[in-house]
């Protein structure tokens, strides 16, 4: 059974940085596309970034491109999200998600992912 566990959320001032981590257990990490999504109160779950299996290619939403960096460490079964230049509008619960061999056309859709973490809260104060 695949399990995802996020860590690294917290409270930060605007312009600051946080680094989230998500560890996958129960399967072969390198086979999985790993995505980060976020959800603010009253809003839909929103794609943030993804790193695909095998190639490790990365994709970002326009709202975070240039500020956030997703990376993966296959030896540690971990995906990271480095968040810089944080803004109050980045405040949300952040979720990591996993899908084995996710296809490119599906990476931005929450429905494409099979496994989800419990979420970690990120709050950016102005």
């Amino acid at each position: 059974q695949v399990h995802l566990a996020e860590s690294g959320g917290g409270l930060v001032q605007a312009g600051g940085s946080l680094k989230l981590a998500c560890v996958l257990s129960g399967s072969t990490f390198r086979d999985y596309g790993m995505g980060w999504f976020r959800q603010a109160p009253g809003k839909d779950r929103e794609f943030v970034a993804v790193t695909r299996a095998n190639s490790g290619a990365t994709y970002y939403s326009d709202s975070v491109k240039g500020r956030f960096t997703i990376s993966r460490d296959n030896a540690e079964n971990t995906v990271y999200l480095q968040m810089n230049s944080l803004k109050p509008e980045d405040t949300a619960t952040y979720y990591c998600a996993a899908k084995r061999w996710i296809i490119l056309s599906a990476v931005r859709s929450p429905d494409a992912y099979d496994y989800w973490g419990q979420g970690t809260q990120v709050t950016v104060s102005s």
Side-chain angles (χ1 to χ4, degrees), residues 2-76:
V2 173
H3 179 69
L4 301 176
E6 301 111 332
S7 61
L11 172 64
V12 65
Q13 288 188 332
S17 298
L18 281 174
K19 187 173 185 177
L20 307 183
C22 174
V23 179
L24 183 149
S25 59
S27 191
T28 305
F29 177 78
R30 66 177 178 270
D31 292 345
Y32 284 80
M34 299 297 299
W36 285 99
F37 290 77
R38 65 188 182 186
Q39 189 166 20
K43 295 189 176 181
D44 292 336
R45 194 162 293 191
E46 174 191 18
F47 168 77
V48 174
V50 66
T51 172
R52 295 186 68 196
N54 198 25
S55 70
T58 58
Y59 303 91
Y60 298 90
S61 69
D62 289 343
S63 61
V64 307
K65 197 176 297 181
R67 299 187 298 122
F68 291 12
T69 302
I70 188 171
S71 61
R72 63 190 297 155
D73 184 336
N74 288 342
E76 296 294 329

Side-chain angles (χ1 to χ4, degrees), residues 54-118:
N54 198 25
S55 70
T58 58
Y59 303 91
Y60 298 90
S61 69
D62 289 343
S63 61
V64 307
K65 197 176 297 181
R67 299 187 298 122
F68 291 12
T69 302
I70 188 171
S71 61
R72 63 190 297 155
D73 184 336
N74 288 342
E76 296 294 329
N77 294 352
T78 303
V79 61
Y80 300 97
L81 186 69
Q82 175 67 48
M83 305 185 294
N84 299 328
S85 302
L86 282 160
K87 305 175 181 179
E89 51 263 43
D90 294 318
T91 295
T93 302
Y94 283 71
Y95 298 90
C96 71
K99 167 69 175 180
R100 197 165 183 266
W101 302 117
I102 192 167
I103 59 175
L104 181 57
S105 61
V107 297
R108 297 172 186 270
S109 171
D111 294 338
Y113 293 79
D114 294 324
Y115 305 100
W116 292 85
Q118 80 285 357

